[in-house]
Amino acid sequence: MLRHEFQPGRLVAGTALLAAAVIYGGDAGGAWETPWFVVIPLVVGGLCLAGAVGVVTGQVRRRRVRPAPEGADAAGHARTPGG
C-alpha cells in the first residue's frame, strides 16, 4: 500500500540536483575539474523539466476518471440507508 502519491516531477528535480551535487563533489574531491558555470544549465534545465513533468502529471490525473465509491449515486453522494 502506498503511503503517498507518486510525484514524478519531484523525482526529476531531485535527480537533477543530485547530479549537480555529484559534479561539485567530484570537483571538490579532486576527481576532476568542473568550471563553475557548468552546473547552472543542469539545475535550470532539470527544474524546468521537473515543472513540465509536474504539469503533464497533473493533466493526466485530472483527466483520469475516478470510479464512484461503492454505495454512492451517480453524482458521487453517499446514499443513506432507507432513503
Side-chain angles (χ1 to χ4, degrees), residues 5-30:
E5 184 176 46
F6 177 63
Q7 297 178 344
R10 289 186 181 191
L11 177 66
V12 172
T15 303
L17 294 175
L18 185 62
V22 167
I23 289 172
Y24 272 139
D27 185 32

Side-chain angles (χ1 to χ4, degrees), residues 16-43:
L17 294 175
L18 185 62
V22 167
I23 289 172
Y24 272 139
D27 185 32
W32 55 76
E33 287 291 321
T34 305
W36 65 269
F37 57 84
V38 170
V39 177
I40 293 172
L42 176 67
V43 171

